[in-house]
Amino acid sequence: MKKDAKIIIIGGGQIATHLKDRLENQGRLVALTIANSKNETPFAEEIATYRPDIVFLAISTKDKGEAAKKYIEDCIEARIPIVTCEKGSLAYHADELRPFMHRIGFSATVGGGTGMLRYLKGFRFDNKKVEINAMPNGTFNFIFDEFRSGRQRTPEQACQVARSRGYVEPGAVDALSIMNNELDDVRMKTCVLFNRVLAARRVITPDDLGPLKLDREDLRGLFIDEVDYRMVVTFSNYELGMRQEYCRKKLVLRDIDGWHISVSFLQILYPTRLSSMLPKGADNVVSVTVGEEPNSQETYTLTGPGAGCRPTVSAMLADADELCRG
């Protein structure tokens, strides 16, 4: 991204504010900030007026990401690169946006600052047995880590600490609503990851996965002093038959395009492959295991900063640099 690039930021929350501060501290020109996603002036007109070199989209997902999709389409029409951290548009409207993904920066939608999507896209999975395990929601990782930290937090207290750090999805208040909002985040991230990295003939949407919900009994069961659970999204192109005994709650199990997709709260047993990739705090992690037989498997693991404004903004800025170079 050129030093004198003219920039528009869409969003009025913490991420948009942090992004604007970072850009201005670098001496860059933020020509316009649109705080309200229901802005009365059509965005296509504002593009024509301000002629930006790049647009940053930092709004929350509402409904199925229609507002974000319209901003993205306006930028595509005007041939303006756009960088987004909003997941709903890419999760629910992947079919329509798929031809234009090379003009959209979206690594911040999955894995925060880890570069998870770019990392996974670098693998070639042809004719290989593959198992991908991801813990892509830094808020869940933080809450479970906070509960198990020895500070004697209750589940509610652990969730409220995450909320005070700005890690939780907007609109959540108590522990149950926080956990369920984060599950919706996981549902969208699962779709974006699959569609970007693994999809061949078809893409998927959150509707294909169905609703992901916990009740109060589920919540109590996830916070047991002597057991450590984590939210794990698994993609494999062969059957995994060894996990039922330490799965607390299986929320999704789908077979799509030859891939088995599982979204579960899994008990972290020691020592296992999952325990070796366990992130700390709000970090995210993904592990790729190639080969079915234990003595011939190769495992690759990527860990990095997940939830929070700083890693999200860093990922967006990296995307902007890459788009502008291209």
Side-chain angles (χ1 to χ4, degrees):
M1 185 168 52
K2 294 179 181 178
K3 189 74 173 178
D4 60 350
K6 190 183 292 185
I7 297 162
I8 288 179
I9 297 174
I10 304 168
Q14 294 180 1
I15 291 173
T17 300
H18 187 74
L19 174 62
K20 186 172 186 289
D21 290 344
R22 285 273 294 271
L23 289 166
E24 290 181 341
N25 287 340
Q26 295 173 1
R28 300 186 184 277
L29 173 61
V30 179
L32 175 67
T33 300
I34 302 173
N36 190 341
S37 62
K38 294 182 179 179
N39 192 46
E40 294 180 0
T41 305
F43 187 54
E45 292 182 16
E46 288 170 330
I47 289 177
T49 300
Y50 288 91
R51 299 179 182 274
D53 296 297
I54 192 162
V55 173
F56 290 91
L57 180 59
I59 64 175
S60 300
T61 298
K62 296 180 180 178
D63 298 321
K64 295 186 176 182
E66 286 89 351
K69 175 175 175 280
K70 183 64 172 66
Y71 281 122
I72 291 170
E73 288 174 333
D74 286 344
C75 287
I76 289 169
E77 179 70 24
R79 306 190 70 81
I80 304 294
I82 181 167
V83 176
T84 183
C85 62
E86 191 276 338
K87 295 170 282 290
S89 54
L90 300 176
Y92 283 99
H93 307 285
D95 231 4
E96 296 167 73
L97 296 177
R98 197 178 193 184
F100 310 104
M101 297 307 283
H102 62 288
R103 288 158 58 184
I104 306 169
F106 57 96
S107 66
T109 61
V110 183
T114 62
M116 188 179 293
L117 293 176
R118 192 176 293 113
Y119 176 75
L120 292 173
K121 193 67 176 173
F123 284 87
R124 294 184 64 87
F125 298 133
D126 301 338
N127 303 315
K128 297 176 182 177
K129 299 293 186 182
V130 177
E131 177 187 344
I132 300 171
N133 290 295
M135 299 179 195
N137 182 283
T139 304
F140 275 135
N141 290 331
F142 179 85
I143 289 169
F144 286 121
D145 195 56
E146 189 73 8
F147 177 74
R148 299 278 300 167
S149 65
R151 300 187 185 94
Q152 297 184 327
R153 305 279 196 201
T154 67
E156 186 66 48
Q157 288 169 336
C159 288
Q160 293 306 326
V161 174
R163 188 178 180 219
S164 70
R165 300 278 185 94
Y167 293 162
V168 307
E169 293 294 304
V173 178
D174 64 347
L176 186 60
S177 65
I178 287 172
M179 299 286 280
N180 279 325
N181 273 21
E182 296 306 321
L183 280 176
D184 198 46
D185 174 77
V186 169
R187 192 166 69 129
M188 290 186 287
K189 286 177 176 176
T190 299
C191 294
V192 176
L193 192 157
F194 179 84
N195 295 339
R196 173 60 175 163
V197 178
L198 303 175
R201 294 181 296 275
R202 59 166 291 196
V203 296
I204 62 173
T205 74
D207 293 334
D208 293 311
L209 301 182
L212 276 62
K213 291 291 182 185
L214 299 175
D215 58 29
R216 295 204 175 275
E217 184 177 348
D218 295 326
L219 189 65
R220 284 192 295 271
L222 288 171
F223 292 95
I224 302 172
D225 288 341
E226 65 273 15
V227 181
D228 193 0
Y229 288 105
R230 294 299 167 111
M231 161 52 61
V232 181
V233 181
T234 300
F235 306 88
S236 66
N237 57 8
Y238 65 99
E239 290 285 354
L240 297 174
M242 52 183 287
R243 288 194 169 166
Q244 295 303 318
E245 64 211 37
Y246 63 102
C247 176
R248 174 70 198 187
K249 180 79 174 179
K250 188 178 289 294
L251 295 155
V252 169
L253 182 60
R254 297 285 186 275
D255 293 334
I256 297 172
D257 261 359
W259 288 95
H260 308 291
I261 304 173
S262 171
V263 180
S264 310
F265 285 102
L266 297 179
Q267 180 182 349
I268 305 302
L269 302 175
Y270 299 87
T272 64
R273 186 182 302 151
L274 290 180
S275 69
S276 67
M277 63 181 273
L278 197 62
K280 294 296 184 183
D283 284 358
N284 287 168
V285 62
V286 64
S287 173
V288 180
T289 299
V290 181
E292 189 173 358
E293 297 300 324
N295 60 352
S296 63
Q297 288 178 334
E298 297 179 350
T299 298
Y300 308 87
T301 301
L302 175 72
T303 302
C309 292
R310 186 177 297 276
T312 300
V313 168
S314 294
M316 295 178 79
L317 292 174
D319 277 351
D321 287 338
E322 185 172 321
L323 281 174
C324 290
R325 280 197 305 269

